[in-house]
Amino acid sequence: MRDLLMIPGPVEFEPEVLQALALPTLGHTDPAFIAIFGRALKRLREVCLAPSAQPFVVSGSGTLAMELAVANLVEPGDAALVVNTGYFSDRMVKILERHGAKVTQVRAAPGDVPSSDEVETALAAGGFKLMTLTHVDTSTGVLAPVEGLVRAARKHGVLSVVDGVCATAGEAFHQDAWGADVYLTASQKAVGVPPGLALLTVGPLALEAWRKRKAPVASVYADWAEWLPIMEAYEAGKPAYFATPPVNLVYALDVSLGQILAEGMEARFARHRRVALAFRAAWKGLGLRLLPTSDAVASHLLSALYYPDGVDASFVGQVKAQGVVVAGGLHPDLKSRYFRVGHMNRTGPADLLATVGAVERALLAAGHRVEPGAGLAAAESALVAR
Ligand code: PMP
């Protein structure tokens, strides 16, 4: 029997999206494929609420999306500010430094975000070309206060690069209205497509900064100069080639983005919030504690939860024995002390209750004292209260 996949990516996908992967592969310059690719690009722009941005769809994972942003904006010696909320912000530091940036970090303890005063003070110190932040840090489930941070960067004339790999199409984000310069993401989480696509929406100020750069981009595959004409051609309905696109993944992307837009962005953000609040109620009912230090900094797309006393990392296997796959810890400082449950893309009441039930049974099997049904009852109450 197939287990329910409730890790923070990849996630459960819609059958229509998976079916698109099995369609006959068209040539990448076939007019029918050009039309699909062009529509997917337009849809990506709409999903990111970024009418003024240039979308990029490139074969690769989220880490390539990070590199596609950094490699094109950073020149050796440029100063970059990293709002560091965990494991994936650390990865961003590594990529920035590899491309020659001088990095300053504003860090928070695991589970927390730096205060806006700290970020504001750092920005005011001046000299930064760009600031990066992780919308949702998947290692800790921390949600950054993105709107305030990108608005602050814009005020100080600093480009903002937002890693939305674990957030896009699930957490509220209004790229143009908030003034975020680059939103980068990947296919396998709330975007609803199996792993393999790096996605970017690049705003006009970031494109202008890239056009003004003097040093060549230190990678051919990551160079916007190679990809921009391709994306423009596909959107204009014309054939173009730089590197072979992942044809079937692009079909799947087009289907998923179409479904996301049909649900509506605000409705989709609200559904993820509603499901997250029901999960939080369930965890409370089971006596489990969230790793994020407050609800205000807790993501709506995953729950990172401390193991209760007497329960260790073997718990993830015990939940799997109950038919649901959850993930272990990832943040190096706390790895063995917590586990993570993803709740994004198509998670609704059915998967929510299946997951809470599996966690509850695994807790009981591990000898944890909990009233059978306590988590389920709390989740049910939260669901019907709204
Ligand atoms: N950033 C964040 C916030 C992520 O969650 C991940 C993947 N979990 C990445 C970047 C890297 O993406 P990938 O594993 O697809 O390279």
Side-chain angles (χ1 to χ4, degrees):
M1 211 167 32
R2 194 168 77 83
D3 293 328
L4 185 64
L5 186 59
M6 297 297 286
I7 63 173
V11 300
E12 290 284 330
F13 301 118
E14 292 291 350
E16 294 81 3
V17 171
L18 297 174
Q19 280 154 13
L21 293 171
L23 294 173
T25 304
L26 289 168
H28 54 284
T29 55
D30 187 305
F33 177 65
I34 294 171
I36 292 168
F37 204 147
R39 188 171 58 198
L41 289 164
K42 288 187 175 68
R43 286 178 167 172
L44 179 60
R45 194 184 276 117
E46 283 181 57
V47 163
C48 296
L49 297 159
S52 77
Q54 170 63 48
F56 291 83
V57 173
V58 175
S59 207
S61 78
T63 306
L64 177 71
M66 297 166 85
E67 195 135 32
L68 276 163
V70 167
N72 287 280
L73 293 177
V74 162
E75 294 186 60
D78 281 345
L81 178 66
V82 173
V83 180
N84 193 319
T85 48
Y87 183 92
F88 289 101
S89 308
D90 288 343
R91 178 170 298 185
M92 189 57 108
V93 171
K94 184 174 179 175
I95 297 172
L96 282 162
E97 286 179 342
R98 188 67 61 86
H99 286 276
K102 288 194 300 236
V103 176
T104 301
Q105 297 186 58
V106 187
R107 296 185 78 100
D112 209 351
V113 295
S115 75
S116 44
D117 283 354
E118 279 173 274
V119 177
E120 184 71 37
T121 306
L123 283 168
F128 294 110
K129 180 167 188 187
L130 59 86
M131 178 185 91
T132 72
L133 60 128
T134 313
H135 193 166
V136 169
D137 190 275
T138 327
S139 69
T140 53
V142 164
L143 171 68
V146 178
E147 181 178 359
L149 291 171
V150 301
R151 284 190 191 280
R154 179 63 60 90
K155 190 178 82 188
H156 289 279
V158 175
L159 294 171
S160 57
V161 173
V162 182
D163 173 350
V165 174
C166 194
T168 309
E171 295 284 1
F173 189 74
H174 300 255
Q175 182 167 353
D176 271 22
W178 295 355
D181 294 298
V182 178
Y183 201 37
L184 66 94
T185 190
S187 49
Q188 73 268 23
K189 304 193 197 226
V191 172
V193 178
L197 293 176
L199 309 169
L200 244 71
T201 39
V202 180
L205 294 182
L207 280 175
E208 190 186 315
W210 165 70
R211 286 202 178 92
K212 281 194 193 142
R213 61 181 290 137
K214 298 194 178 64
V217 172
S219 156
V220 174
Y221 191 73
D223 193 344
W224 291 348
E226 304 291 352
W227 293 110
L228 183 58
I230 308 301
M231 301 301 139
E232 287 175 340
Y234 273 119
E235 226 183 317
K238 295 189 192 125
Y241 167 73
F242 160 57
T244 311
V247 173
N248 293 58
L249 274 172
V250 173
Y251 299 160
L253 178 70
D254 179 49
V255 172
S256 188
L257 295 178
Q259 290 177 341
I260 290 167
L261 292 168
E263 182 176 10
M265 296 318 298
E266 293 309 320
R268 191 167 170 92
F269 300 147
R271 173 170 59 83
H272 282 87
R273 278 197 297 273
R274 219 166 33 243
V275 166
L277 295 186
F279 266 112
R280 279 182 212 169
W283 307 141
K284 215 166 157 198
L286 293 172
L288 297 176
R289 188 161 66 90
L290 281 181
L291 195 157
T293 51
S294 72
D295 281 356
V297 298
S299 165
H300 303 100
L301 307 200
L302 77 147
S303 300
L305 298 154
Y306 286 108
Y307 295 121
D309 288 343
V311 172
D312 63 20
S314 64
F315 184 67
V316 170
Q318 288 164 350
V319 181
K320 187 164 193 302
Q322 301 297 332
V324 175
V325 184
V326 297
L330 183 59
H331 194 289
D333 299 353
L334 301 165
K335 219 176 157 101
S336 60
R337 291 182 46 205
Y338 74 102
F339 67 106
R340 295 171 301 148
V341 178
H343 29 89
M344 58 192 110
N345 192 39
R346 66 184 307 285
T347 308
D351 289 353
L352 157 69
L353 294 175
T355 304
V356 170
V359 169
E360 197 165 284
R361 292 193 301 282
L363 284 172
L364 288 164
H368 185 65
R369 290 168 69 89
V370 54
E371 185 64 32
L376 288 167
E380 292 275 24
S381 302
L383 286 172
V384 295
R386 291 178 181 92

